[in-house]
Amino acid sequence: MTTQTTTPKTPDTPAPGSPTGLIGIPAPLGRALATGGGALTVLSTFLAWTWTDAFPGDLTVYGYPGGLQVLVLIAGALTTLLGLASYGVKGLRWLVPAGADAALKFAALGAFATTWYTVIAISVQLGGVVNLEPGGYLAAAVTLIALLGALALPFERPEPDPFDPDDTGWDKARHRAAQNWATVKAALAGTTPRPRKPLPTWAEILVIVAVLALALTVFTYGIGTEYDELFVGFLITAGLGFTALHRTGLITHISELTARHQNTTVFGAFLAAALFPFTQTDDQYATIGVYILIFATVALGLNIVVGLAGLLDLGYVAFLGVGAYAASLVSGSPSSPFDVHFPFWAAVLVGAAASLVFGVLIGAPTLRLRGDYLAIVTLGFGEIFRITANNLDGTSGPDVTNGSNGIAGIPDLKILGFDFGTPHDIAGFTIGRFANYFFLMLLITAVVVLVFRRSGDSRIGRAWVAIREDETAALAMGINGFRVKLIAFAVGASLAGLAGTVQAHVTYTVTPEQYLFAGTTPPNSAFLLAAVVLGGMGTIGGPLLGAALLFLIPNKLQFLGDYQLFAFGVALVLLMRFRPEGLIPNRRRQLEFHEEADAPAALGKTGA
């Protein structure tokens, strides 16, 4: 009996007979073109791309990148680093634990797309390609060369994320089993997994700190883009750059680090968010930040109903409205028919309790329904709330909400003598009105995250997941389905009401038109549900990220006018096509979309 030996291969070494890239260029030449093109892309950003400063960003200066050139510089540098890492350059192997070829394609595509978008924008706005300087032509040429070189590299089937930071208990056991199966597949394929030496604890914490600082920098840059072309370029570079880093396996390794230090990561994330107002010189972008937190908090509450319990609620924004109206009626507004002025803590309790009561009243008769029927009933509740608020104007009904005029003149909050409506100086920084509410909303978001984590890991949380996966089987195992679903509905409604109390004071006015099922701007029920599905159902970070993107992107795409929703819809369709499990998916949900696609490959390797 002879023993067959196999030669260990790196992730970037294609096996015999493996598929090649899209074009017929040999892989070594393609890798050289991609790496060299990335380096030349970096150099091209130090040249002038146009002769006039009529195009925003001042792209006329030699030796100093500006505007969109900075984004091209970042994309080109990432392409160069990944290209060098694919050669096994010492000191860069940590950047590509899962291989560099697949990531190099997306990095080169990011540099190409951002560069050509800039060149086309200059030509369209200034009246032709004659307005380009040699630097613009050079950048367009070298990014095309880099992209063609990257497309010559062999395609790799990406492995699903082996780890979910929100998984506990049985999910961790499944993660260990998945790791063991990955080792078996590597042995059957004749490859040797690259061993990783664990970092010391202090180094892992430093990595987490660096990642959080980078996230804060990227968010601050994106929210502070001064003109439309720069924001579009930012979306292109950030989206394709993140995809490239994900294909390297680096994002997965960072997720493992954050999972080992969950408390440190959560504390650091909120600390990084608290630093955001100090990076702003006025309230222009702090305003967007506070609305993002309100939207994200409500989406996280909806995630309990949809993500954990599996109940499709299409009228969830009504609970936000109930909390906002309840708080505005008792907060001393001159438009309120009740001549009372509760302190903030009492107004918060009133808003959360009112939403809780409405959640129970609506859920009790309707939660015996399932699927589409439940969705239709909740959609009807959302419309009933809006119509009722319109009719309580003293003409069609009792004078409670002032009808379409709403409750106006809601005073700013004052907590322990701290007036949220006036600027304050903290450590030499002037913190304006919206920054004050940003800190308050950040604290409320922390409370909601704590409630979500504790409830998700509790006995009732496991019952929610069981109901979501198979309600009939859960009922057969002795779970009281109606009671469990009613608790989910009540908890989700009270969290939405909690956010609504702050929204009422931030906006000064509460009107029925703010709480529609669908509209051009969030929050509304359609956007809230999209934030949960887009971010990742059943996770904590998913709805927070999804809500931030769904609020920020439409706000920045207003220059598209009537085409705003069209462009936004196309982006959602593409994302759901290529990432249906969400941006930060739950491991179980990710397997639902990818295990069928991975099974034939695994069986083929086994049969070989």
Side-chain angles (χ1 to χ4, degrees), residues 147-517:
L147 178 61
L148 293 176
L151 292 178
L153 301 178
F155 281 93
E156 302 170 0
R157 176 181 294 277
E159 293 289 342
D161 290 342
F163 194 80
D164 178 13
D166 293 304
D167 284 343
T168 55
W170 285 104
D171 292 329
K172 288 186 177 179
R174 293 180 62 184
H175 164 57
R176 289 192 295 270
Q179 286 183 321
N180 295 335
W181 175 239
T183 303
V184 172
K185 288 197 297 181
L188 293 173
T191 61
T192 302
R194 184 180 299 172
R196 286 180 291 142
K197 183 178 180 180
L199 296 173
T201 301
W202 62 267
E204 292 181 346
I205 293 177
L206 286 180
V207 171
I208 294 174
V209 171
V211 170
L212 293 175
L214 178 61
L216 176 62
T217 302
V218 172
F219 177 77
T220 302
Y221 183 88
I223 202 174
T225 48
E226 299 176 352
Y227 50 95
D228 303 330
E229 294 84 359
L230 184 60
F231 181 72
V232 174
F234 168 77
L235 288 181
I236 297 172
T237 306
L240 293 175
F242 180 83
T243 305
L245 292 177
H246 176 71
R247 293 302 179 95
T248 64
L250 193 61
I251 302 297
T252 301
H253 287 184
I254 293 175
S255 299
E256 294 177 1
L257 295 182
T258 57
R260 285 199 291 267
H261 306 280
Q262 281 192 357
N263 294 332
T264 301
T265 303
V266 172
F267 175 78
F270 279 100
L271 181 60
L275 294 176
F276 168 71
F278 295 99
T279 64
Q280 307 300 308
T281 57
D282 53 42
D283 266 357
Q284 180 182 0
Y285 300 117
T287 306
I288 300 178
V290 94
Y291 285 120
I292 286 176
L293 284 180
I294 293 174
F295 189 26
T297 302
V298 181
L300 196 58
L302 179 61
N303 197 27
I304 293 179
V305 180
V306 177
L308 293 183
L311 307 174
L312 184 55
D313 188 348
L314 297 181
Y316 187 76
V317 74
F319 297 123
L320 176 68
V322 170
Y325 266 104
S328 63
L329 290 173
V330 298
S331 295
S333 169
S335 302
S336 172
F338 308 111
D339 189 17
V340 293
H341 190 175
F342 286 4
F344 174 67
W345 63 268
V348 166
L349 292 179
V350 169
S355 296
L356 175 65
V357 170
F358 271 85
V360 173
L361 292 178
I362 298 302
T366 61
L367 286 179
R368 299 188 186 277
L369 302 174
R370 298 186 186 182
D372 299 337
Y373 302 99
L374 177 63
I376 293 173
V377 170
T378 55
L379 175 61
F381 164 65
E383 290 301 301
I384 289 172
F385 164 76
R386 182 180 60 83
I387 295 173
T388 302
N390 258 321
N391 290 336
L392 296 179
D393 57 356
T395 302
S396 303
D399 186 11
V400 178
T401 64
N402 291 328
S404 59
N405 294 325
I407 308 297
I410 302 173
D412 282 305
L413 291 175
K414 291 183 180 180
I415 302 177
L416 300 177
F418 185 89
D419 189 350
F420 281 74
T422 60
H424 299 274
D425 292 330
I426 301 178
F429 293 90
T430 300
I431 305 299
R433 175 180 182 270
F434 284 100
N436 295 331
Y437 281 107
F438 180 89
F439 288 122
L440 176 63
M441 200 62 224
L442 187 63
L443 179 61
I444 293 177
T445 304
V447 173
V448 174
V449 168
L450 179 63
V451 171
F452 187 93
R453 287 186 64 184
R454 295 301 184 186
S455 60
D457 293 336
S458 65
R459 180 180 179 183
I460 191 67
R462 294 299 177 185
W464 288 338
V465 174
I467 290 290
R468 181 193 68 190
E469 295 298 322
D470 193 328
E471 184 172 354
T472 302
L475 295 176
M477 295 301 294
I479 295 177
N480 189 332
F482 174 75
R483 182 175 66 88
V484 167
K485 291 191 292 185
L486 187 60
I487 292 175
F489 223 67
V491 173
S494 60
L495 294 180
L498 184 65
T501 59
V502 180
Q503 185 205 26
H505 292 85
V506 171
T507 58
Y508 288 129
T509 303
V510 178
T511 60
E513 287 71 22
Q514 295 175 348
Y515 309 104
L516 302 172
F517 166 72

